[in-house]
Amino acid sequence: MPIIVNLDVMMAKRKMSLNELSEKVDLTLANLSILKTGKAKAIRFSTLDAICKALDCQPGDILEFVEKQKK
Amino acid sequence: MKTKTNTILVIMNVLAWITFIGLMVKAGAILVSFGVSVSHPEAAKNLYMETNLYNLMQFDFVHYTVVVVMWVAILILEAYTAFLVTRVLSRIKMTNPFTPEVSKDIEKIAYVILLIWVAAMLYNGYQQWLAKQITGWEENLIPAEFILMVGVVFVFSQIFKKGVEIQSENELTV
């Protein structure tokens, strides 16, 4: 998938643990882990809104488009 | 509504098990009668439910064996279809019905029914050829109209495959 989730980078910048973020955005650790490891196929606007609020950042800080390298 | 669906699925599961056991018993009974007919040719007069293959046996034992083997093979394939249906019905969970295992089993059912149809056509062709060779031989044809069912089951399996994709996407939406 060419969309990269940089949630771990933002969490490190804000010095926030996965448990803490989970409590703030009201998401289970399992779902946050799916998002963090890039296994998620879609993200709800409400989830994105909650994460941006908790990490005080923009959606672009969490999501990044990286074009696949052609072989 | 949910309870009604569950009840229907349980009833269908029981019916599929009865069909599976019935077909296996039928195949077993034919094989036993065939075994007996090797030493006592009179047994071929009533191989299973008054099926008389005595004339065929007298004509040629090889043809007799081929007919019985084809008949038993078709019955075993039919039993396998019933078994796949029981597996689908026991694996399916109403909370998460679209799983790759169930999807694969439904697709497999379509292919097995297609195989049964091919085997039935060969069997019928062979019976018709034998009818020309043996005077007074009564054909024992298998109805082959169920080919339509292959298409229907195959279409369902493809829709189910899409359902698996949608459910997986839904589960991976955070």
Side-chain angles (χ1 to χ4, degrees):
Chain A
M1 184 106 89
I3 301 288
I4 306 288
V5 180
N6 290 322
L7 188 63
D8 45 355
V9 177
M10 275 318 290
M11 280 164 62
K13 276 184 187 170
R14 301 287 184 257
K15 295 188 176 75
M16 198 180 282
S17 71
L18 204 63
N19 277 321
E20 206 179 329
L21 185 64
S22 162
E23 280 168 22
K24 281 190 175 176
V25 298
D26 199 24
L27 266 180
T28 61
L29 275 174
N31 273 343
L32 263 184
S33 182
I34 286 171
L35 189 61
K36 207 178 124 208
T37 52
K39 286 178 189 163
K41 291 209 173 176
I43 180 165
R44 289 189 190 93
F45 278 142
S46 57
T47 309
L48 200 55
D49 174 63
I51 291 172
C52 287
K53 262 182 202 153
L55 293 173
D56 187 27
C57 65
Q58 291 298 313
D61 297 328
I62 299 166
L63 304 174
E64 186 188 351
F65 173 74
V66 179
E67 204 164 1
K68 258 189 185 172
Q69 281 183 337
K70 284 177 189 169
K71 283 181 185 175
Chain B
M1 191 66 189
K2 197 182 168 188
T3 325
K4 199 180 167 190
T5 314
N6 279 340
T7 315
I8 291 169
L9 290 181
V10 169
I11 293 168
M12 289 306 291
N13 199 1
V14 172
L15 287 176
W17 270 114
I18 292 169
T19 311
F20 170 69
I21 294 165
L23 287 166
M24 286 311 283
V25 167
K26 190 176 175 182
I30 292 166
L31 277 179
V32 169
S33 300
F34 174 73
V36 173
S37 72
V38 173
S39 52
H40 299 88
E42 291 291 310
K45 281 184 179 169
N46 189 2
L47 205 64
Y48 180 80
M49 304 281 260
E50 295 177 8
T51 305
N52 188 352
L53 296 184
Y54 186 72
N55 281 353
L56 177 64
M57 195 189 186
Q58 293 302 310
F59 172 70
D60 187 29
F61 188 77
V62 176
H63 285 307
Y64 170 65
T65 309
V66 172
V67 166
V68 173
V69 167
M70 282 176 93
W71 191 14
V72 170
I74 290 167
L75 285 172
I76 289 173
L77 282 172
E78 284 174 357
Y80 184 55
T81 310
F83 171 73
L84 286 174
V85 172
T86 63
R87 203 160 70 174
V88 164
L89 291 170
S90 54
R91 274 181 175 172
I92 213 159
K93 299 278 176 291
M94 276 301 113
T95 42
N96 273 338
F98 301 101
T99 58
E101 292 82 21
V102 174
S103 171
K104 270 182 203 161
D105 276 350
I106 294 176
E107 203 171 351
K108 210 185 266 181
I109 288 171
Y111 289 128
V112 176
I113 297 172
L114 181 67
L115 197 63
I116 295 170
W117 181 77
V118 171
M121 291 308 285
L122 286 172
Y123 179 80
N124 288 350
Y126 192 52
Q127 290 265 338
Q128 282 161 352
W129 179 79
L130 283 172
K132 284 178 190 164
Q133 310 299 314
I134 311 164
T135 45
W137 161 255
E138 279 179 37
E139 291 172 21
N140 181 21
L141 300 178
I142 298 172
E145 288 81 24
F146 59 86
I147 184 67
L148 277 172
M149 213 165 77
V150 177
V152 174
V153 177
F154 192 73
V155 167
F156 277 137
S157 76
Q158 296 308 304
I159 294 169
F160 213 87
K161 213 184 256 180
K162 190 69 195 165
V164 173
E165 271 175 40
I166 292 169
Q167 188 178 285
S168 153
E169 268 183 26
N170 190 39
E171 279 166 3
L172 289 172
T173 298
V174 289

mmCIF file of all heavy atoms in Angstrom, chain B residues 8 12 24 26 51-52 55 74-75 85-86 93 101 105 114 124 127-128 130 150 158 166 171:
data_model
loop_
_atom_site.group_PDB
_atom_site.id
_atom_site.type_symbol
_atom_site.label_atom_id
_atom_site.label_comp_id
_atom_site.label_asym_id
_atom_site.label_seq_id
_atom_site.Cartn_x
_atom_site.Cartn_y
_atom_site.Cartn_z
ATOM 1 N N ILE B 8 -33.069 -22.578 10.388
ATOM 2 C CA ILE B 8 -33.045 -23.107 9.012
ATOM 3 C C ILE B 8 -31.682 -23.760 8.733
ATOM 4 O O ILE B 8 -31.606 -24.854 8.177
ATOM 5 C CB ILE B 8 -33.340 -21.981 7.985
ATOM 6 C CG1 ILE B 8 -34.799 -21.537 8.104
ATOM 7 C CG2 ILE B 8 -33.046 -22.440 6.559
ATOM 8 C CD1 ILE B 8 -35.141 -20.277 7.350
ATOM 9 N N MET B 12 -30.959 -27.583 7.796
ATOM 10 C CA MET B 12 -30.248 -27.914 6.549
ATOM 11 C C MET B 12 -29.023 -28.776 6.840
ATOM 12 O O MET B 12 -28.694 -29.690 6.071
ATOM 13 C CB MET B 12 -29.813 -26.628 5.829
ATOM 14 C CG MET B 12 -30.941 -25.844 5.205
ATOM 15 S SD MET B 12 -31.960 -26.807 4.087
ATOM 16 C CE MET B 12 -30.849 -27.088 2.750
ATOM 17 N N MET B 24 -23.642 -42.702 1.299
ATOM 18 C CA MET B 24 -22.525 -43.592 1.629
ATOM 19 C C MET B 24 -23.038 -45.022 1.846
ATOM 20 O O MET B 24 -22.401 -45.980 1.413
ATOM 21 C CB MET B 24 -21.774 -43.099 2.883
ATOM 22 C CG MET B 24 -20.910 -41.869 2.643
ATOM 23 S SD MET B 24 -19.815 -41.957 1.229
ATOM 24 C CE MET B 24 -18.520 -42.988 1.854
ATOM 25 N N LYS B 26 -25.738 -46.291 0.498
ATOM 26 C CA LYS B 26 -26.127 -46.789 -0.828
ATOM 27 C C LYS B 26 -24.893 -47.290 -1.595
ATOM 28 O O LYS B 26 -24.908 -48.402 -2.139
ATOM 29 C CB LYS B 26 -26.816 -45.660 -1.614
ATOM 30 C CG LYS B 26 -27.460 -46.109 -2.894
ATOM 31 C CD LYS B 26 -28.206 -44.956 -3.569
ATOM 32 C CE LYS B 26 -28.753 -45.384 -4.913
ATOM 33 N NZ LYS B 26 -29.426 -44.284 -5.605
ATOM 34 N N THR B 51 -32.381 -53.072 -8.896
ATOM 35 C CA THR B 51 -31.621 -52.760 -10.108
ATOM 36 C C THR B 51 -31.049 -54.070 -10.642
ATOM 37 O O THR B 51 -30.246 -54.713 -9.958
ATOM 38 C CB THR B 51 -30.484 -51.757 -9.792
ATOM 39 O OG1 THR B 51 -31.062 -50.621 -9.165
ATOM 40 C CG2 THR B 51 -29.747 -51.330 -11.045
ATOM 41 N N ASN B 52 -31.484 -54.425 -11.833
ATOM 42 C CA ASN B 52 -31.091 -55.721 -12.398
ATOM 43 C C ASN B 52 -29.967 -55.539 -13.423
ATOM 44 O O ASN B 52 -30.188 -54.979 -14.494
ATOM 45 C CB ASN B 52 -32.321 -56.365 -13.042
ATOM 46 C CG ASN B 52 -32.046 -57.788 -13.487
ATOM 47 O OD1 ASN B 52 -30.907 -58.258 -13.455
ATOM 48 N ND2 ASN B 52 -33.085 -58.479 -13.891
ATOM 49 N N ASN B 55 -28.257 -59.299 -16.915
ATOM 50 C CA ASN B 55 -28.027 -59.415 -18.369
ATOM 51 C C ASN B 55 -26.656 -58.881 -18.748
ATOM 52 O O ASN B 55 -25.946 -59.486 -19.545
ATOM 53 C CB ASN B 55 -29.091 -58.617 -19.144
ATOM 54 C CG ASN B 55 -30.396 -59.373 -19.223
ATOM 55 O OD1 ASN B 55 -30.467 -60.528 -18.811
ATOM 56 N ND2 ASN B 55 -31.429 -58.715 -19.736
ATOM 57 N N ILE B 74 -19.977 -41.985 -8.836
ATOM 58 C CA ILE B 74 -20.917 -40.853 -8.860
ATOM 59 C C ILE B 74 -21.562 -40.687 -7.479
ATOM 60 O O ILE B 74 -21.672 -39.564 -6.958
ATOM 61 C CB ILE B 74 -21.980 -41.035 -9.973
ATOM 62 C CG1 ILE B 74 -21.311 -40.873 -11.348
ATOM 63 C CG2 ILE B 74 -23.122 -40.028 -9.832
ATOM 64 C CD1 ILE B 74 -22.145 -41.319 -12.520
ATOM 65 N N LEU B 75 -21.929 -41.816 -6.864
ATOM 66 C CA LEU B 75 -22.552 -41.755 -5.527
ATOM 67 C C LEU B 75 -21.583 -41.173 -4.496
ATOM 68 O O LEU B 75 -21.978 -40.371 -3.636
ATOM 69 C CB LEU B 75 -22.999 -43.152 -5.091
ATOM 70 C CG LEU B 75 -24.259 -43.685 -5.774
ATOM 71 C CD1 LEU B 75 -24.483 -45.135 -5.403
ATOM 72 C CD2 LEU B 75 -25.480 -42.861 -5.382
ATOM 73 N N VAL B 85 -21.305 -29.556 2.081
ATOM 74 C CA VAL B 85 -22.422 -28.721 2.553
ATOM 75 C C VAL B 85 -22.457 -28.731 4.085
ATOM 76 O O VAL B 85 -22.605 -27.677 4.719
ATOM 77 C CB VAL B 85 -23.770 -29.188 1.952
ATOM 78 C CG1 VAL B 85 -24.945 -28.453 2.591
ATOM 79 C CG2 VAL B 85 -23.788 -28.985 0.453
ATOM 80 N N THR B 86 -22.268 -29.921 4.690
ATOM 81 C CA THR B 86 -22.280 -29.993 6.170
ATOM 82 C C THR B 86 -21.124 -29.176 6.735
ATOM 83 O O THR B 86 -21.278 -28.499 7.742
ATOM 84 C CB THR B 86 -22.152 -31.447 6.686
ATOM 85 O OG1 THR B 86 -20.896 -31.969 6.276
ATOM 86 C CG2 THR B 86 -23.262 -32.324 6.219
ATOM 87 N N LYS B 93 -20.674 -18.858 10.758
ATOM 88 C CA LYS B 93 -21.115 -18.225 12.009
ATOM 89 C C LYS B 93 -21.838 -16.941 11.620
ATOM 90 O O LYS B 93 -21.305 -16.151 10.845
ATOM 91 C CB LYS B 93 -19.914 -17.891 12.902
ATOM 92 C CG LYS B 93 -19.102 -19.112 13.327
ATOM 93 C CD LYS B 93 -19.705 -19.827 14.513
ATOM 94 C CE LYS B 93 -18.954 -21.093 14.857
ATOM 95 N NZ LYS B 93 -19.074 -22.195 13.879
ATOM 96 N N GLU B 101 -12.440 -19.786 4.331
ATOM 97 C CA GLU B 101 -12.634 -21.251 4.327
ATOM 98 C C GLU B 101 -14.003 -21.601 3.736
ATOM 99 O O GLU B 101 -14.111 -22.485 2.882
ATOM 100 C CB GLU B 101 -12.550 -21.833 5.749
ATOM 101 C CG GLU B 101 -11.173 -21.776 6.387
ATOM 102 C CD GLU B 101 -10.860 -20.435 7.010
ATOM 103 O OE1 GLU B 101 -11.808 -19.687 7.313
ATOM 104 O OE2 GLU B 101 -9.658 -20.120 7.167
ATOM 105 N N ASP B 105 -14.916 -23.562 0.242
ATOM 106 C CA ASP B 105 -15.767 -24.763 0.247
ATOM 107 C C ASP B 105 -16.930 -24.618 -0.733
ATOM 108 O O ASP B 105 -17.271 -25.573 -1.437
ATOM 109 C CB ASP B 105 -16.306 -25.039 1.664
ATOM 110 C CG ASP B 105 -15.299 -25.821 2.497
ATOM 111 O OD1 ASP B 105 -14.308 -26.290 1.923
ATOM 112 O OD2 ASP B 105 -15.499 -25.939 3.721
ATOM 113 N N LEU B 114 -19.895 -30.029 -10.948
ATOM 114 C CA LEU B 114 -19.518 -30.076 -12.372
ATOM 115 C C LEU B 114 -18.908 -31.447 -12.708
ATOM 116 O O LEU B 114 -19.225 -32.042 -13.746
ATOM 117 C CB LEU B 114 -18.531 -28.945 -12.689
ATOM 118 C CG LEU B 114 -18.069 -28.844 -14.140
ATOM 119 C CD1 LEU B 114 -19.212 -28.443 -15.044
ATOM 120 C CD2 LEU B 114 -16.930 -27.839 -14.282
ATOM 121 N N ASN B 124 -24.130 -42.086 -18.648
ATOM 122 C CA ASN B 124 -25.318 -42.184 -19.510
ATOM 123 C C ASN B 124 -24.940 -42.611 -20.931
ATOM 124 O O ASN B 124 -25.602 -43.452 -21.532
ATOM 125 C CB ASN B 124 -26.066 -40.850 -19.554
ATOM 126 C CG ASN B 124 -26.782 -40.565 -18.243
ATOM 127 O OD1 ASN B 124 -26.877 -41.431 -17.388
ATOM 128 N ND2 ASN B 124 -27.265 -39.351 -18.073
ATOM 129 N N GLN B 127 -24.148 -46.216 -20.915
ATOM 130 C CA GLN B 127 -25.382 -47.009 -20.782
ATOM 131 C C GLN B 127 -26.094 -47.099 -22.134
ATOM 132 O O GLN B 127 -26.590 -48.164 -22.511
ATOM 133 C CB GLN B 127 -26.328 -46.359 -19.766
ATOM 134 C CG GLN B 127 -25.848 -46.440 -18.337
ATOM 135 C CD GLN B 127 -26.437 -47.632 -17.602
ATOM 136 O OE1 GLN B 127 -27.471 -48.154 -17.982
ATOM 137 N NE2 GLN B 127 -25.761 -48.056 -16.560
ATOM 138 N N GLN B 128 -26.135 -45.959 -22.861
ATOM 139 C CA GLN B 128 -26.806 -45.947 -24.167
ATOM 140 C C GLN B 128 -26.065 -46.835 -25.167
ATOM 141 O O GLN B 128 -26.682 -47.516 -25.983
ATOM 142 C CB GLN B 128 -26.924 -44.507 -24.685
ATOM 143 C CG GLN B 128 -28.062 -43.760 -23.998
ATOM 144 C CD GLN B 128 -27.951 -42.258 -24.101
ATOM 145 O OE1 GLN B 128 -26.949 -41.721 -24.558
ATOM 146 N NE2 GLN B 128 -28.977 -41.564 -23.639
ATOM 147 N N LEU B 130 -24.277 -49.450 -24.349
ATOM 148 C CA LEU B 130 -24.545 -50.831 -23.932
ATOM 149 C C LEU B 130 -25.935 -51.291 -24.375
ATOM 150 O O LEU B 130 -26.121 -52.448 -24.752
ATOM 151 C CB LEU B 130 -24.424 -50.960 -22.404
ATOM 152 C CG LEU B 130 -23.004 -51.006 -21.833
ATOM 153 C CD1 LEU B 130 -23.039 -50.945 -20.328
ATOM 154 C CD2 LEU B 130 -22.260 -52.263 -22.270
ATOM 155 N N VAL B 150 -24.705 -25.924 -11.130
ATOM 156 C CA VAL B 150 -23.275 -25.588 -11.113
ATOM 157 C C VAL B 150 -23.112 -24.079 -11.263
ATOM 158 O O VAL B 150 -22.403 -23.430 -10.493
ATOM 159 C CB VAL B 150 -22.512 -26.322 -12.246
ATOM 160 C CG1 VAL B 150 -21.061 -25.908 -12.274
ATOM 161 C CG2 VAL B 150 -22.642 -27.824 -12.081
ATOM 162 N N GLN B 158 -18.793 -16.750 -6.011
ATOM 163 C CA GLN B 158 -18.112 -15.503 -6.381
ATOM 164 C C GLN B 158 -18.631 -14.329 -5.552
ATOM 165 O O GLN B 158 -17.861 -13.476 -5.118
ATOM 166 C CB GLN B 158 -18.286 -15.212 -7.889
ATOM 167 C CG GLN B 158 -17.637 -16.234 -8.793
ATOM 168 C CD GLN B 158 -16.175 -16.511 -8.467
ATOM 169 O OE1 GLN B 158 -15.354 -15.620 -8.431
ATOM 170 N NE2 GLN B 158 -15.852 -17.765 -8.194
ATOM 171 N N ILE B 166 -15.111 -7.677 1.596
ATOM 172 C CA ILE B 166 -15.775 -6.544 2.266
ATOM 173 C C ILE B 166 -15.684 -6.700 3.775
ATOM 174 O O ILE B 166 -15.376 -5.736 4.491
ATOM 175 C CB ILE B 166 -17.246 -6.413 1.792
ATOM 176 C CG1 ILE B 166 -17.282 -5.989 0.329
ATOM 177 C CG2 ILE B 166 -18.011 -5.401 2.638
ATOM 178 C CD1 ILE B 166 -18.649 -6.079 -0.326
ATOM 179 N N GLU B 171 -13.307 -5.208 8.983
ATOM 180 C CA GLU B 171 -12.598 -5.559 10.218
ATOM 181 C C GLU B 171 -11.310 -4.758 10.360
ATOM 182 O O GLU B 171 -10.862 -4.500 11.473
ATOM 183 C CB GLU B 171 -12.275 -7.054 10.226
ATOM 184 C CG GLU B 171 -13.464 -7.897 10.656
ATOM 185 C CD GLU B 171 -13.286 -9.376 10.360
ATOM 186 O OE1 GLU B 171 -12.222 -9.775 9.863
ATOM 187 O OE2 GLU B 171 -14.243 -10.121 10.619
#
